[in-house]
Every structure is written in C-alpha cells, then in structure tokens.
Amino acid sequence: MLFLVARATILVTTFSAVGFAADETTVELPQYGDFKPDQQNLPVAPPEGAVVLFDGTTNRFASRNGEEIDWPIEDGTLVSSRGKSNTNHIVSKESFRDADLHVEFMLPEKGVGNSGIYIHGHYELQIYNSFGKEKPADQDMGALYGFAPPRVNASRKPGEWQVYDIRYLAPRRDAEGNIVAEGSITAWLNGQEVQHETRFGEPRSVYHPYRHGATPYLKEIAEVQKQKMIGPVFLQDHGNPVRFRNVWLKRLDDVR
C-alpha cells in the first residue's frame, strides 16, 4: 500500500507480560524544509557542501566487486556498460542516510534506454524512454519502481539531457532491523515534481543489487545499510548505453 503524507509518525508500543502498554515511542522522519530545485539550465553546479560523485574528472564509483569500474568515460560522461544478466551496476563509495541527490542523464537514440538510480541499493527511481506516454505506470520514467507511478510525465526525448533531483529520507529501523518509520522520496524530473513525499517500506524488487547478482562486497554494504540505515547510490546497468554526468549528493544529516 502506498501512503502519501507529509510527515511520518509511527507509534511503537511495547507490551508487558499481561498485555498492557508499558512504553510508547513516537518515531518521526525529520523535516528539512522546502525542496524545489532549479532544473532550468543544465548542467547544474553542485551546491556548497555537496559531494561530487562524478563530473568527468572526479569519479567516486566502484564496481559491484568494489574494484575500478569498467563503464567507459566518453566526452566526460559515464556510459552504462552491460554485464551478465544486467548486473553490472556501479556503486558510490560514499554512503549516507538522508540526502539530496542530483543526476543528469541522456537516453540513447535507439532502444528503451532502461536504467535507474538505486538509492541505498533498494529503491529505484526509474530511467526509461516514456516520452509522450499518456498514462505512465510504475515502471516508467519518474516512477518509484514497484511503489508509485510518476505524478506527471516529465520525460524528454532520447538524445536530450535530462535531470533528476531527489530528496531521500531513509526508513528508520529498530535494533532488530525492523522498519518503524517508512522512508520518503520527493523527486523532480526536468522541472516537474514526479514524486511527492512518496512513502515506502521494505524493498519490493527481486532485481535490486542485493538480491540479483549480489557479490560479497555488496552483501557487506547491505548488512551495514540494515544496521545503520546508511547506504550508497547505484547507477543501474540494464543493457542500454545510458549516459550520466554531473552526479552529486548533499547530505541532510551527519549520520555516517
């Protein structure tokens, strides 16, 4: 079930041996203020305090084995390179809990241009050629894959630069790893808000990097993610040569 709310408030109740409420704790996601990025002129310069993940010179991505990536860099852009079973994703060396993410990308002229932005390796903002589609679904551009379709179709034509700005608030977990406050995503695509505080719990996709083609390196990251609620961002390999440039994040908290 999808919840669209402005604030996450979960009441966690601990029961005594006789069944009466003994303790109540309210878990809330923090409020970080308005989120309306300026996407009018591309590329968008990283703001002060941002961590640049890729800009044509700086590259803070690793392969799914924790090694140097094999995606080619052409004219200052990263080009998605296919691996076996569409698992040749690249993963940021930077981890975070809550953050604003910025990704500029271009779909190829041929093919569906399938790729995605996997936040914490669990939740995918879809990249897919959906230009002109009247009723985009939860597998189209701007969707939170498996959770919610885009509010509007903001897709541009293949061959044009496009931009995502994403505000990601991680789910909160208890000491046993159970979610006690669902996460939230607000996303802007090409100047239009495609997700507004969309709520999500446990990941639903069977193809995310920790479930499909997982490596020992990624399994270690997944364990840390569950314990500390921090994780990296992945750029997805799905067999299409999607180009990426100007990828950066700005942490919203100091959780490491």
Side-chain angles (χ1 to χ4, degrees), residues 170-202:
R172 282 10 183 198
R173 297 178 182 271
D174 61 18
E176 285 72 43
N178 301 308
I179 290 178
V180 293
E182 292 184 319
S184 170
I185 280 181
T186 296
W188 289 77
L189 173 67
N190 301 328
Q192 298 189 67
E193 190 180 43
V194 291
Q195 300 290 334
H196 180 74
E197 296 180 355
T198 301
R199 303 296 305 284
F200 55 88
E202 293 292 354

Side-chain angles (χ1 to χ4, degrees), residues 76-90:
T77 68
L78 274 171
V79 185
S80 174
S81 177
R82 186 172 185 174
K84 296 179 180 179
S85 302
N86 298 324
T87 57
N88 193 31
H89 319 304
I90 59 175

Side-chain angles (χ1 to χ4, degrees), residues 2-246:
L2 174 66
F3 298 91
L4 297 176
V5 298
R7 189 182 183 113
T9 304
I10 307 294
L11 189 64
V12 181
T13 304
T14 302
F15 292 93
S16 66
V18 294
F20 296 103
D23 180 57
E24 293 183 345
T25 304
T26 299
V27 179
E28 296 179 348
L29 293 180
Q31 301 293 301
Y32 293 110
D34 294 336
F35 181 60
K36 190 175 181 180
D38 183 359
Q39 299 181 323
Q40 185 174 359
N41 297 309
L42 301 181
V44 177
E48 183 178 356
V51 178
V52 175
L53 301 179
F54 180 81
D55 65 1
T57 302
T58 299
N59 176 28
R60 289 193 172 97
F61 282 99
S63 74
R64 66 194 186 102
N65 291 311
E67 301 168 348
E68 185 175 346
I69 65 173
D70 63 3
W71 287 19
I73 298 175
E74 300 176 358
D75 300 323
T77 68
L78 274 171
V79 185
S80 174
S81 177
R82 186 172 185 174
K84 296 179 180 179
S85 302
N86 298 324
T87 57
N88 193 31
H89 319 304
I90 59 175
V91 53
S92 69
K93 298 176 183 178
E94 300 285 335
S95 290
F96 54 89
R97 187 175 69 170
D98 299 344
D100 291 342
L101 298 164
H102 178 94
V103 180
E104 297 176 21
F105 62 95
M106 180 189 290
L107 303 185
E109 297 283 355
K110 295 182 180 180
V112 296
N114 199 349
S115 185
I117 303 165
Y118 265 122
I119 308 176
H120 280 192
H122 285 310
Y123 308 103
E124 180 188 358
L125 265 295
Q126 180 74 306
I127 292 176
Y128 195 88
N129 182 12
S130 306
F131 179 74
K133 190 169 184 177
E134 291 186 5
K135 294 182 179 180
D138 66 359
Q139 297 183 18
D140 284 302
M141 184 86 82
L144 179 58
Y145 184 84
F147 285 91
R151 293 156 57 92
V152 296
N153 188 347
S155 301
R156 293 176 180 166
K157 296 179 181 179
E160 297 181 11
W161 282 107
Q162 308 194 53
V163 57
Y164 262 123
D165 280 287
I166 304 160
R167 173 156 288 180
Y168 175 83
L169 277 61
R172 282 10 183 198
R173 297 178 182 271
D174 61 18
E176 285 72 43
N178 301 308
I179 290 178
V180 293
E182 292 184 319
S184 170
I185 280 181
T186 296
W188 289 77
L189 173 67
N190 301 328
Q192 298 189 67
E193 190 180 43
V194 291
Q195 300 290 334
H196 180 74
E197 296 180 355
T198 301
R199 303 296 305 284
F200 55 88
E202 293 292 354
R204 295 175 179 174
S205 173
V206 298
Y207 297 108
H208 73 57
Y210 306 136
R211 290 176 175 171
H212 182 61
T215 63
Y217 179 72
L218 295 186
K219 290 177 181 178
E220 288 181 12
I221 292 174
E223 283 301 312
V224 173
Q225 188 272 333
K226 194 166 186 178
Q227 294 170 14
K228 296 185 177 182
M229 295 167 282
I230 64 172
V233 60
F234 292 71
L235 300 182
Q236 183 191 45
D237 155 44
H238 208 297
N240 297 118
V242 176
R243 292 180 178 269
F244 294 90
R245 72 176 188 189
N246 196 25

